[in-house]
Each structure stands twice: as C-alpha cells, then as structure tokens.
Amino acid sequence: EISEGQIKINDDYIKEYDLQSLRSSIGYVPQKAQFLRGSLDNNVTMKLATPAYEALIDAQGHDIVDKGMDHLIEESAKNLSGGQKQRVNIARALAKEPSILLLDDSFSALDALTTSRLQKVLREKYSKTSQIIVSQRTSSVMHADWILVLDQGRIVSEGKHETLIKENDIYRRIHSLQQEGVNTDDQ
C-alpha cells in the first residue's frame, strides 16, 4: 500500500497485478541477506528450479563457485566474507530471472574492481531488466539512465551523472569526496 501517488509497471497500476506474479517478477537484493544452513546451490536458488551456477558467475562469484555448488553454507553464512555474502545475495536475485531488479545498497561490501565488473554484466547481459539501484556511492549509479538525488528523504534533483555533476552541488560534492579516496591506479 502506498500513502500517496501512483505506482505503475508497464503503464499498468501496481494494484492491477496479482501479488504472486508481481513478487515473482522482482529480484530484490537487500543490504543484509538472510542465509540458511545448506548448500551453496540452495542458498542461491532457495530450492527453486533456477540456474544458480550462471547467476553466481554473473554476480562475480567465481571464487565461491570454486568451492563447489554443494559447499555447505553455515547458518548466517559465517563461513563467507562480507563480499561473498553480498555476491551470493545478488546471484539469488539474478537466478530468478526477474523483469525488475532492485539493488538496495548492494555494492557496498564489494571492492571497486568487482563492482565495476558486476555493473558491466548488469548493463550488458541484463539490459532488458529494469534496474533500480539505491546507493550512497556515485560510482554505483553513474552509468544509470536516470539518477534521483535525495536529501533528507526528498528528491532535490534528477538527471544523468554528467548533468548532476555540473548542476547539483550535493551530488557534485559527494562525487568529489568519494573520488578523493579512490586510487586512480586501480581504475
């Protein structure tokens, strides 16, 4: 339920969708993933018939796949690093083959190189998937078709990265501060 305004998907009001079909069409990657004690495969697919291996590769989980799809994931995924947990979490959403992908600050536990590679896969292989990226890092959204800049929960500006750099003080300041901490040799 929304408090005001309207939500549409493909020009249809969201209330016109069957809740089950709506949920099955959305891949959601929360900031903090939940894990079950069980195989890597089951933690990606959640016991559904979906392609776990390919989704893990797409999520830059090569090192995780090397452990084997039967690798035991402990409760709360204590035996995975923060970045590995996040990549399994992303793979879980990709394995659903969603038409809408919602990434909620999903790159925060990933290093810059992994983030860059993952974003390239999302742009190229998942170009037909609508992607909503929530992030505090401008580098995570700079390739987006449209960016909304929020301040205190309100939209204060919107546009493409290049336009926001030129025209929005908040966005420009955040981007500049984040770029100061980036080693240009890594890019």
Side-chain angles (χ1 to χ4, degrees), residues 26-30 93 98 100-106 129-134:
I26 297 173
Y28 173 57
V29 184
I100 300 171
L101 182 61
L102 176 55
L103 299 149
D104 186 2
D105 208 14
S106 304
T129 303
S130 297
Q131 299 173 35
I132 300 169
I133 302 169
V134 177

Side-chain angles (χ1 to χ4, degrees), residues 29-181:
V29 184
Q31 291 179 23
K32 186 174 182 189
Q34 300 293 315
F35 290 88
L36 305 170
R37 181 176 169 80
S39 72
L40 174 59
D41 188 83
N42 281 342
N43 270 279
V44 172
T45 65
M46 302 307 282
K47 298 186 179 182
L48 299 174
T50 58
Y53 177 86
E54 186 176 343
L56 274 165
I57 295 299
D58 289 349
Q60 305 306 298
H62 304 84
D63 59 321
I64 307 165
V65 168
D66 289 345
K67 297 174 188 246
M69 297 307 291
D70 290 329
H71 178 72
L72 178 66
I73 304 297
E74 295 176 13
E75 188 176 331
S76 301
K78 293 181 231 175
N79 56 332
L80 296 178
S81 71
Q84 289 174 327
K85 288 177 187 178
Q86 199 59 355
R87 288 178 286 147
V88 170
N89 196 23
I90 292 166
R92 185 181 296 156
L94 295 177
K96 284 182 71 175
E97 300 177 350
S99 55
I100 300 171
L101 182 61
L102 176 55
L103 299 149
D104 186 2
D105 208 14
S106 304
F107 305 123
S108 61
L110 306 179
D111 62 71
L113 185 57
T114 302
T115 297
S116 176
R117 288 177 178 160
L118 174 57
Q119 288 175 326
K120 183 177 183 203
V121 169
L122 291 175
R123 277 193 311 275
E124 293 174 1
K125 186 172 180 179
Y126 296 89
S127 63
K128 301 280 187 216
T129 303
S130 297
Q131 299 173 35
I132 300 169
I133 302 169
V134 177
S135 182
Q136 296 178 38
R137 290 186 194 168
T138 58
S139 62
S140 294
V141 297
M142 63 191 303
H143 297 292
D145 293 334
W146 203 249
I147 301 168
L148 302 176
V149 180
L150 302 175
D151 186 22
Q152 308 230 354
R154 300 216 179 271
I155 298 172
V156 296
S157 192
E158 58 185 279
K160 291 195 158 286
H161 173 77
E162 298 79 17
T163 304
L164 293 170
I165 288 291
K166 291 178 192 170
E167 299 176 3
N168 185 270
D169 289 336
I170 294 171
Y171 189 86
R172 182 176 44 253
R173 204 167 44 241
I174 291 169
H175 183 72
S176 177
L177 286 169
Q178 290 174 353
Q179 293 307 300
E180 287 176 15

